[in-house]
Amino acid sequence: MRNTAEALQAFESTVAVYLNELEHLKLEQLHIKPNEEDWSIGQMYMHLIQSAQYMHLRNVDQCLAGNETPVESPGEKTERGKAVFELGSFPPVRIRIPASPQYTPPQPASKEQLVEGLHGVVERMKRTEADLHQANSSSTIPHPGFGALNAKEWFLLVEMHYRHHLLQLDRLKKELSL
């Protein structure tokens, strides 16, 4: 498993790719969906920002808070979770989750919203990484597919998740001829 400083550096490089891609797209292009089931590129960006801020990093914070108040969750990492962390990335396969009001991200209101959101995640990752040295590895919160993850694992998941979605970005750009 890579260390958090390396993961932060890799994350910043990946976000730089997303920011560079944004420079070449118009808001109208960010809203185009290849079909009814698929997300637009803009929705994918919103998903990355929201999942990092409101799931992954929130769970890091909760695990870190568990250093004072035990929030140890029962259970262990699933086989899928173990494989992802051993590999250091998600498998290069498309993951489909049915559309739903609570999961399907909204279309972005502007490109600036996406730029600010990505910068916000980078800043929060930098602040969070500095606190991870004090993390108690037994303080965990369950992930729906990977099982019990500690603060460091939730942090590493952000970088893996952003890297994984580069495949979706490439696929959408090809499908939309962008």
Side-chain angles (χ1 to χ4, degrees):
M1 192 178 336
R2 81 183 338 166
N3 73 45
T4 57
E6 290 170 345
L8 178 58
Q9 194 171 23
F11 177 73
E12 289 180 275
S13 296
T14 302
V15 169
V17 171
Y18 284 110
L19 290 168
N20 184 55
E21 291 291 335
L22 264 181
E23 287 179 25
H24 305 290
L25 296 167
K26 295 181 174 84
L27 183 61
E28 299 75 39
Q29 293 172 311
L30 291 170
H31 286 177
I32 300 169
K33 294 172 61 168
N35 57 56
E36 274 308 303
E37 285 85 48
D38 284 343
W39 293 346
S40 68
I41 292 173
Q43 285 175 296
M44 184 199 70
Y45 273 76
M46 293 292 288
H47 164 72
L48 288 170
I49 294 163
Q50 291 174 343
S51 61
Q53 292 282 26
Y54 305 116
M55 180 184 174
H56 302 123
L57 293 170
R58 182 180 58 100
N59 287 337
V60 170
D61 291 344
Q62 287 185 296
C63 287
L64 289 172
N67 291 339
E68 296 96 46
T69 316
V71 284
E72 295 181 28
S73 66
E76 296 180 10
K77 216 178 270 81
T78 63
E79 289 306 313
R80 212 167 108 212
K82 288 176 190 171
V84 162
F85 283 95
E86 283 174 21
L87 188 61
S89 67
F90 292 11
V93 295
R94 194 167 171 187
I95 300 167
R96 286 185 178 264
I97 295 173
S100 67
Q102 64 271 25
Y103 187 73
T104 303
Q107 293 282 11
S110 66
K111 285 174 63 170
E112 293 75 25
Q113 176 188 20
L114 300 177
V115 170
E116 288 173 16
L118 289 170
H119 285 300
V121 175
V122 168
E123 289 309 309
R124 188 162 173 202
M125 288 284 284
K126 287 178 182 176
R127 286 193 313 270
T128 301
E129 198 274 335
D131 294 334
L132 288 173
H133 70 280
Q134 65 189 14
N136 177 349
S137 63
S138 66
S139 180
T140 62
I141 293 181
H143 179 280
F146 301 149
L149 303 182
N150 62 37
K152 180 180 176 185
E153 291 165 332
W154 278 107
F155 182 86
L156 295 173
L157 199 61
V158 177
E159 186 275 328
M160 288 190 265
H161 186 228
Y162 272 59
R163 190 167 16 105
H164 178 74
H165 274 282
L166 289 173
L167 298 171
Q168 181 182 13
L169 178 60
D170 287 343
R171 181 181 50 78
L172 287 170
K173 283 173 44 185
K174 283 182 185 127
E175 286 179 17
L176 301 171
S177 302
L178 299 175

